């Protein structure tokens, strides 16, 4: 399943939509509420307790699409939070985008893996495009051009794998021996990019993996221009304005966001925004052009969540809730 540049350019940012009364801002699910990422982070409406942060997204045919894991149902919500449509969907976990849903089963089948399924959501409900078992404990998922990209390690904790899923099947796009890290995947500027987020802060070379069109084809492109106190890549990345933005662990416990310029054989740091906290969930750009993300620092401030506002050079943070 080759990657088409035009399809990747249409990649969906999970969780991004215009909120009622706050046009042009992303929204996000947290603590049983759907909130706008607009200034003040106003709550929009209550959500079922089984809706996780990565299981809600804007819907072109409604306001929001959400998976309630407790009830085992996919919900089409209107702007007041009412479920105008509801369909049974058996899964323990789901990643939801506008029009596509990727699910994972609760049980791991010995020597086979979890059951995964990819659905296209239409007016008639979820249409199953693909289903199968994969030995994959997910560390990230992304959607682009009608496909899902699933990254994760195997049960033996020996391999990191990147799968491309579509109605044509499941293709292993890239695999490498696993160290103490997690694979992240970000379709950016017509290319499928991946990187390893480290489990522990330590000084390591930073690379972006450019995944080729053929299965198994990948090139490591070094990141150049990081400051001297940069340690390693650490968290989730996202695309902004055609550039890959990656989280960087810094000495002293700080976290920064590095905007990278794709130079072909390497990536150059265009800017580094300090004080970003950890990127827990990319949300998307607002009408002001600034990118929002759900921020969390489990080492320094494990009890609070924030929404980060990133303008390409600096970050401001707003705490969620009291």
């Amino acid at each position: 399943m080759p990657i088409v540049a035009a399809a990747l350019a249409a990649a969906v940012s999970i969780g991004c939509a215009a909120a009622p009364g706050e046009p042009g801002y992303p929204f996000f699910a947290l603590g049983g509420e759907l909130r706008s990422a607009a200034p003040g982070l106003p709550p929009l409406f209550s959500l079922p307790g089984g809706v996780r942060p990565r299981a809600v997204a804007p819907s072109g045919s409604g306001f929001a699409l959400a998976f309630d894991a407790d009830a085992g149902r996919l919900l089409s919500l209107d702007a007041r939070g009412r479920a105008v449509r509801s369909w049974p969907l058996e899964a323990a976990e789901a990643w939801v985008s506008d029009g596509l849903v990727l699910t994972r089963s609760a049980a791991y089948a010995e020597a086979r893996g979890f059951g995964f399924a990819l659905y296209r959501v239409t007016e008639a409900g979820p249409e199953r495009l693909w289903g199968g078992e994969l030995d994959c404990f997910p560390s990230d998922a992304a959607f682009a051009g009608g496909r899902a990209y699933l990254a994760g390690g195997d049960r033996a904790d020996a391999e990191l794998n990147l799968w491309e899923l579509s109605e044509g099947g499941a293709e292993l796009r890239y695999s490498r021996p696993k160290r103490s890290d997690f694979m992240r995947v970000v379709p950016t500027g017509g290319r499928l990019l991946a990187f390893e987020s480290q489990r522990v802060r330590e000084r390591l070379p930073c690379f972006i993996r450019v995944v080729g069109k053929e299965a198994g084809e990948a090139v490591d492109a070094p990141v150049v221009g990081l400051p001297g106190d940069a340690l390693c890549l650490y968290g989730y990345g996202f695309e902004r304005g055609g550039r890959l933005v990656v989280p960087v662990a810094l000495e002293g416990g700080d976290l920064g966001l590095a905007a990278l310029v794709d130079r072909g054989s390497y990536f150059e740091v265009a800017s580094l925004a300090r004080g970003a906290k950890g990127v827990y969930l990319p949300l998307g750009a607002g009408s002001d052009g600034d990118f929002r993300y759900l921020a969390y620092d489990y080492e320094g401030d494990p009890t609070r969540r924030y929404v980060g506002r990133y303008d390409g050079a600096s970050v401001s943070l707003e705490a969620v809730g009291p």
Side-chain angles (χ1 to χ4, degrees), residues 19 39 58 62 66 81 102 133 192 195 233 244 246 262 265 269 274 283-284 295:
L102 173 64
E133 293 174 317
L192 183 61
F195 64 91
L233 303 184
L244 175 63
V246 293
D262 186 347
S265 60
V269 176
R274 296 174 180 268
L283 297 176

Side-chain angles (χ1 to χ4, degrees), residues 14 18 21 53 59 62-63 66 78 87 94 99 108 120 123 129 136 146 154 182 197 208 249 286 288 312:
I14 300 174
S59 173
F63 176 69
D78 67 12
W87 305 277
Y108 181 98
R120 177 190 296 124
E123 290 289 335
L129 300 178
C136 181
D154 62 5
F182 306 94
S197 169
I208 304 301
D288 54 11

Side-chain angles (χ1 to χ4, degrees), residues 251-285:
E251 292 177 353
D254 194 9
L255 287 163
L257 295 177
L260 305 182
V261 179
D262 186 347
R263 300 299 190 191
S265 60
Y266 65 96
F267 286 81
E268 184 177 9
V269 176
S271 64
L272 179 74
R274 296 174 180 268
K277 294 194 181 291
V279 178
Y280 178 72
L281 179 64
L283 297 176

